[in-house]
Amino acid sequence: LAGKRLTDASRLQAASTTSSSQPQSLSSTAWACAKMLFRDPSLLTAGSAVAAPRAREFSAQQLANTAWSCATLTMVDMPLLDAIAAAARPTIMEFSKQEMTNMARSHARL
């Protein structure tokens, strides 16, 4: 029963994900799903569709966390991963060692 409620809640979240979602919310939702190994296609697809075109708005930590989430969930979403890589390139020197490590490990795992 708890799993069904969680799935229903994720679908509600996916339905309410719009272009007005903030990068922190998108990154945190992806991170939470990955942390729980929660793979709900509707939530992941909706989040990715909104996050990819807005990746340049993400901070280094949000980019790294989103990449880590994809790797943890084995979610090979090339438009999102390409957007993360493109957004990271101009600011890569601003990444902390941890953020750089997370990005490298994430891309290596996928």
Side-chain angles (χ1 to χ4, degrees):
L1 184 60
K4 181 175 177 355
R5 281 192 292 235
L6 188 57
T7 301
D8 291 345
S10 73
R11 288 196 177 110
L12 179 60
Q13 174 66 30
S16 66
T17 301
T18 65
S19 60
S20 65
S21 293
Q22 296 299 310
Q24 180 65 46
S25 298
L26 296 166
S27 175
S28 294
T29 299
W31 179 87
C33 286
K35 191 70 173 163
M36 296 185 312
L37 298 177
F38 182 67
R39 293 174 179 91
D40 183 299
S42 60
L43 177 62
L44 298 173
T45 300
S48 175
V50 175
R54 298 187 62 197
R56 292 194 188 278
E57 299 173 34
F58 283 43
S59 68
Q61 181 179 5
Q62 291 161 349
L63 291 169
N65 286 351
T66 303
W68 174 85
S69 300
C70 289
T72 299
L73 294 172
T74 319
M75 180 181 154
V76 183
D77 181 325
M78 290 315 295
L80 177 58
L81 295 171
D82 288 345
I84 290 170
R89 274 187 213 106
T91 60
I92 201 77
M93 298 307 290
E94 298 169 23
F95 279 44
S96 70
K97 289 179 186 177
Q98 184 65 53
E99 292 160 348
M100 184 72 74
T101 299
N102 288 350
M103 288 286 284
R105 282 186 185 162
S106 298
H107 282 79
R109 286 176 63 188
L110 294 170

mmCIF file of all heavy atoms in Angstrom, residues 25-54:
data_model
loop_
_atom_site.group_PDB
_atom_site.id
_atom_site.type_symbol
_atom_site.label_atom_id
_atom_site.label_comp_id
_atom_site.label_asym_id
_atom_site.label_seq_id
_atom_site.Cartn_x
_atom_site.Cartn_y
_atom_site.Cartn_z
ATOM 1 N N SER A 25 14.330 22.578 -7.320
ATOM 2 C CA SER A 25 13.260 21.593 -7.181
ATOM 3 C C SER A 25 13.475 20.410 -8.119
ATOM 4 O O SER A 25 13.302 19.256 -7.724
ATOM 5 C CB SER A 25 11.900 22.220 -7.478
ATOM 6 O OG SER A 25 11.614 23.242 -6.566
ATOM 7 N N LEU A 26 13.841 20.687 -9.347
ATOM 8 C CA LEU A 26 14.077 19.618 -10.316
ATOM 9 C C LEU A 26 15.241 18.736 -9.890
ATOM 10 O O LEU A 26 15.149 17.502 -9.921
ATOM 11 C CB LEU A 26 14.334 20.220 -11.700
ATOM 12 C CG LEU A 26 13.159 20.986 -12.312
ATOM 13 C CD1 LEU A 26 13.621 21.818 -13.493
ATOM 14 C CD2 LEU A 26 12.054 20.030 -12.713
ATOM 15 N N SER A 27 16.335 19.361 -9.484
ATOM 16 C CA SER A 27 17.511 18.622 -9.050
ATOM 17 C C SER A 27 17.215 17.813 -7.785
ATOM 18 O O SER A 27 17.606 16.650 -7.679
ATOM 19 C CB SER A 27 18.657 19.604 -8.799
ATOM 20 O OG SER A 27 19.779 18.948 -8.266
ATOM 21 N N SER A 28 16.519 18.417 -6.847
ATOM 22 C CA SER A 28 16.198 17.728 -5.592
ATOM 23 C C SER A 28 15.258 16.550 -5.811
ATOM 24 O O SER A 28 15.392 15.505 -5.161
ATOM 25 C CB SER A 28 15.572 18.703 -4.584
ATOM 26 O OG SER A 28 16.505 19.664 -4.203
ATOM 27 N N THR A 29 14.308 16.709 -6.720
ATOM 28 C CA THR A 29 13.383 15.607 -7.024
ATOM 29 C C THR A 29 14.152 14.449 -7.650
ATOM 30 O O THR A 29 13.954 13.286 -7.267
ATOM 31 C CB THR A 29 12.261 16.080 -7.959
ATOM 32 O OG1 THR A 29 11.526 17.126 -7.313
ATOM 33 C CG2 THR A 29 11.313 14.940 -8.306
ATOM 34 N N ALA A 30 15.048 14.747 -8.588
ATOM 35 C CA ALA A 30 15.857 13.699 -9.208
ATOM 36 C C ALA A 30 16.731 13.018 -8.163
ATOM 37 O O ALA A 30 16.836 11.788 -8.124
ATOM 38 C CB ALA A 30 16.719 14.296 -10.327
ATOM 39 N N TRP A 31 17.351 13.798 -7.294
ATOM 40 C CA TRP A 31 18.225 13.253 -6.250
ATOM 41 C C TRP A 31 17.428 12.350 -5.307
ATOM 42 O O TRP A 31 17.884 11.248 -4.965
ATOM 43 C CB TRP A 31 18.871 14.398 -5.467
ATOM 44 C CG TRP A 31 19.761 13.908 -4.372
ATOM 45 C CD1 TRP A 31 21.091 13.588 -4.481
ATOM 46 C CD2 TRP A 31 19.398 13.665 -3.020
ATOM 47 N NE1 TRP A 31 21.563 13.157 -3.270
ATOM 48 C CE2 TRP A 31 20.544 13.206 -2.355
ATOM 49 C CE3 TRP A 31 18.219 13.800 -2.294
ATOM 50 C CZ2 TRP A 31 20.545 12.869 -0.998
ATOM 51 C CZ3 TRP A 31 18.210 13.460 -0.947
ATOM 52 C CH2 TRP A 31 19.360 13.006 -0.308
ATOM 53 N N ALA A 32 16.237 12.797 -4.890
ATOM 54 C CA ALA A 32 15.418 12.004 -3.964
ATOM 55 C C ALA A 32 15.006 10.678 -4.598
ATOM 56 O O ALA A 32 15.051 9.628 -3.946
ATOM 57 C CB ALA A 32 14.194 12.797 -3.531
ATOM 58 N N CYS A 33 14.621 10.716 -5.861
ATOM 59 C CA CYS A 33 14.252 9.473 -6.556
ATOM 60 C C CYS A 33 15.445 8.522 -6.609
ATOM 61 O O CYS A 33 15.305 7.324 -6.350
ATOM 62 C CB CYS A 33 13.762 9.771 -7.970
ATOM 63 S SG CYS A 33 12.114 10.492 -8.027
ATOM 64 N N ALA A 34 16.613 9.061 -6.927
ATOM 65 C CA ALA A 34 17.809 8.219 -7.014
ATOM 66 C C ALA A 34 18.196 7.666 -5.645
ATOM 67 O O ALA A 34 18.549 6.493 -5.527
ATOM 68 C CB ALA A 34 18.962 9.015 -7.620
ATOM 69 N N LYS A 35 18.107 8.495 -4.639
ATOM 70 C CA LYS A 35 18.473 8.058 -3.290
ATOM 71 C C LYS A 35 17.601 6.880 -2.846
ATOM 72 O O LYS A 35 18.075 5.965 -2.181
ATOM 73 C CB LYS A 35 18.334 9.239 -2.316
ATOM 74 C CG LYS A 35 18.909 9.006 -0.960
ATOM 75 C CD LYS A 35 20.409 8.955 -1.013
ATOM 76 C CE LYS A 35 20.964 8.887 0.401
ATOM 77 N NZ LYS A 35 22.329 8.458 0.412
ATOM 78 N N MET A 36 16.329 6.894 -3.235
ATOM 79 C CA MET A 36 15.394 5.821 -2.870
ATOM 80 C C MET A 36 15.352 4.725 -3.939
ATOM 81 O O MET A 36 14.593 3.771 -3.809
ATOM 82 C CB MET A 36 13.986 6.382 -2.694
ATOM 83 C CG MET A 36 13.858 7.371 -1.564
ATOM 84 S SD MET A 36 12.164 7.928 -1.262
ATOM 85 C CE MET A 36 11.564 8.356 -2.872
ATOM 86 N N LEU A 37 16.150 4.875 -5.016
ATOM 87 C CA LEU A 37 16.105 3.962 -6.163
ATOM 88 C C LEU A 37 14.679 3.819 -6.676
ATOM 89 O O LEU A 37 14.202 2.741 -7.007
ATOM 90 C CB LEU A 37 16.692 2.590 -5.804
ATOM 91 C CG LEU A 37 18.162 2.605 -5.411
ATOM 92 C CD1 LEU A 37 18.604 1.214 -5.018
ATOM 93 C CD2 LEU A 37 19.034 3.160 -6.529
ATOM 94 N N PHE A 38 14.004 4.950 -6.742
ATOM 95 C CA PHE A 38 12.612 5.015 -7.162
ATOM 96 C C PHE A 38 12.553 5.382 -8.632
ATOM 97 O O PHE A 38 12.859 6.499 -9.013
ATOM 98 C CB PHE A 38 11.876 6.048 -6.298
ATOM 99 C CG PHE A 38 10.419 6.167 -6.612
ATOM 100 C CD1 PHE A 38 9.547 5.129 -6.352
ATOM 101 C CD2 PHE A 38 9.910 7.329 -7.157
ATOM 102 C CE1 PHE A 38 8.195 5.236 -6.635
ATOM 103 C CE2 PHE A 38 8.564 7.463 -7.445
ATOM 104 C CZ PHE A 38 7.708 6.407 -7.184
ATOM 105 N N ARG A 39 12.186 4.423 -9.459
ATOM 106 C CA ARG A 39 12.180 4.614 -10.914
ATOM 107 C C ARG A 39 10.744 4.690 -11.427
ATOM 108 O O ARG A 39 10.187 3.681 -11.829
ATOM 109 C CB ARG A 39 12.909 3.460 -11.578
ATOM 110 C CG ARG A 39 14.372 3.418 -11.280
ATOM 111 C CD ARG A 39 15.002 2.149 -11.850
ATOM 112 N NE ARG A 39 16.425 2.098 -11.583
ATOM 113 C CZ ARG A 39 16.963 1.530 -10.514
ATOM 114 N NH1 ARG A 39 16.206 0.954 -9.610
ATOM 115 N NH2 ARG A 39 18.271 1.524 -10.357
ATOM 116 N N ASP A 40 10.186 5.862 -11.414
ATOM 117 C CA ASP A 40 8.840 6.037 -11.965
ATOM 118 C C ASP A 40 9.000 6.752 -13.301
ATOM 119 O O ASP A 40 9.373 7.929 -13.339
ATOM 120 C CB ASP A 40 7.974 6.860 -11.007
ATOM 121 C CG ASP A 40 6.554 7.002 -11.522
ATOM 122 O OD1 ASP A 40 6.375 7.571 -12.619
ATOM 123 O OD2 ASP A 40 5.633 6.546 -10.838
ATOM 124 N N PRO A 41 8.733 6.049 -14.391
ATOM 125 C CA PRO A 41 8.958 6.645 -15.715
ATOM 126 C C PRO A 41 8.237 7.972 -15.931
ATOM 127 O O PRO A 41 8.799 8.880 -16.539
ATOM 128 C CB PRO A 41 8.442 5.579 -16.687
ATOM 129 C CG PRO A 41 8.540 4.303 -15.919
ATOM 130 C CD PRO A 41 8.259 4.666 -14.486
ATOM 131 N N SER A 42 7.018 8.113 -15.431
ATOM 132 C CA SER A 42 6.288 9.362 -15.668
ATOM 133 C C SER A 42 6.957 10.531 -14.959
ATOM 134 O O SER A 42 7.059 11.626 -15.518
ATOM 135 C CB SER A 42 4.822 9.229 -15.253
ATOM 136 O OG SER A 42 4.708 8.923 -13.881
ATOM 137 N N LEU A 43 7.434 10.311 -13.756
ATOM 138 C CA LEU A 43 8.106 11.375 -13.014
ATOM 139 C C LEU A 43 9.448 11.705 -13.663
ATOM 140 O O LEU A 43 9.770 12.874 -13.885
ATOM 141 C CB LEU A 43 8.303 10.969 -11.557
ATOM 142 C CG LEU A 43 9.051 11.970 -10.691
ATOM 143 C CD1 LEU A 43 8.285 13.287 -10.611
ATOM 144 C CD2 LEU A 43 9.276 11.407 -9.301
ATOM 145 N N LEU A 44 10.220 10.683 -13.998
ATOM 146 C CA LEU A 44 11.539 10.915 -14.581
ATOM 147 C C LEU A 44 11.446 11.584 -15.951
ATOM 148 O O LEU A 44 12.206 12.501 -16.252
ATOM 149 C CB LEU A 44 12.304 9.595 -14.672
ATOM 150 C CG LEU A 44 12.587 8.924 -13.323
ATOM 151 C CD1 LEU A 44 13.204 7.545 -13.541
ATOM 152 C CD2 LEU A 44 13.466 9.789 -12.450
ATOM 153 N N THR A 45 10.496 11.154 -16.754
ATOM 154 C CA THR A 45 10.313 11.744 -18.079
ATOM 155 C C THR A 45 9.881 13.202 -17.976
ATOM 156 O O THR A 45 10.407 14.069 -18.686
ATOM 157 C CB THR A 45 9.281 10.930 -18.890
ATOM 158 O OG1 THR A 45 9.771 9.597 -19.018
ATOM 159 C CG2 THR A 45 9.054 11.527 -20.261
ATOM 160 N N ALA A 46 8.940 13.477 -17.085
ATOM 161 C CA ALA A 46 8.470 14.856 -16.914
ATOM 162 C C ALA A 46 9.585 15.756 -16.398
ATOM 163 O O ALA A 46 9.783 16.873 -16.894
ATOM 164 C CB ALA A 46 7.269 14.891 -15.967
ATOM 165 N N GLY A 47 10.321 15.267 -15.411
ATOM 166 C CA GLY A 47 11.420 16.062 -14.860
ATOM 167 C C GLY A 47 12.501 16.332 -15.885
ATOM 168 O O GLY A 47 13.006 17.447 -15.997
ATOM 169 N N SER A 48 12.836 15.315 -16.652
ATOM 170 C CA SER A 48 13.855 15.455 -17.682
ATOM 171 C C SER A 48 13.431 16.435 -18.767
ATOM 172 O O SER A 48 14.220 17.261 -19.221
ATOM 173 C CB SER A 48 14.140 14.084 -18.303
ATOM 174 O OG SER A 48 15.035 14.212 -19.359
ATOM 175 N N ALA A 49 12.179 16.349 -19.174
ATOM 176 C CA ALA A 49 11.673 17.233 -20.232
ATOM 177 C C ALA A 49 11.740 18.701 -19.829
ATOM 178 O O ALA A 49 11.948 19.583 -20.664
ATOM 179 C CB ALA A 49 10.239 16.857 -20.594
ATOM 180 N N VAL A 50 11.584 18.961 -18.545
ATOM 181 C CA VAL A 50 11.648 20.337 -18.052
ATOM 182 C C VAL A 50 13.099 20.740 -17.766
ATOM 183 O O VAL A 50 13.509 21.861 -18.053
ATOM 184 C CB VAL A 50 10.771 20.512 -16.790
ATOM 185 C CG1 VAL A 50 10.935 21.902 -16.202
ATOM 186 C CG2 VAL A 50 9.314 20.239 -17.119
ATOM 187 N N ALA A 51 13.881 19.810 -17.227
ATOM 188 C CA ALA A 51 15.250 20.135 -16.806
ATOM 189 C C ALA A 51 16.196 20.350 -17.985
ATOM 190 O O ALA A 51 17.025 21.262 -17.946
ATOM 191 C CB ALA A 51 15.784 19.036 -15.896
ATOM 192 N N ALA A 52 16.104 19.534 -19.010
ATOM 193 C CA ALA A 52 17.074 19.604 -20.111
ATOM 194 C C ALA A 52 17.174 20.998 -20.732
ATOM 195 O O ALA A 52 18.278 21.543 -20.842
ATOM 196 C CB ALA A 52 16.763 18.545 -21.170
ATOM 197 N N PRO A 53 16.053 21.618 -21.120
ATOM 198 C CA PRO A 53 16.193 22.941 -21.737
ATOM 199 C C PRO A 53 16.596 24.046 -20.757
ATOM 200 O O PRO A 53 16.982 25.133 -21.172
ATOM 201 C CB PRO A 53 14.804 23.227 -22.328
ATOM 202 C CG PRO A 53 13.883 22.255 -21.721
ATOM 203 C CD PRO A 53 14.693 21.122 -21.184
ATOM 204 N N ARG A 54 16.530 23.747 -19.465
ATOM 205 C CA ARG A 54 16.870 24.762 -18.462
ATOM 206 C C ARG A 54 18.183 24.469 -17.756
ATOM 207 O O ARG A 54 18.525 25.137 -16.777
ATOM 208 C CB ARG A 54 15.734 24.851 -17.443
ATOM 209 C CG ARG A 54 14.425 25.287 -18.113
ATOM 210 C CD ARG A 54 13.330 25.542 -17.140
ATOM 211 N NE ARG A 54 13.717 26.615 -16.258
ATOM 212 C CZ ARG A 54 13.122 26.859 -15.093
ATOM 213 N NH1 ARG A 54 12.108 26.125 -14.699
ATOM 214 N NH2 ARG A 54 13.522 27.839 -14.326
#
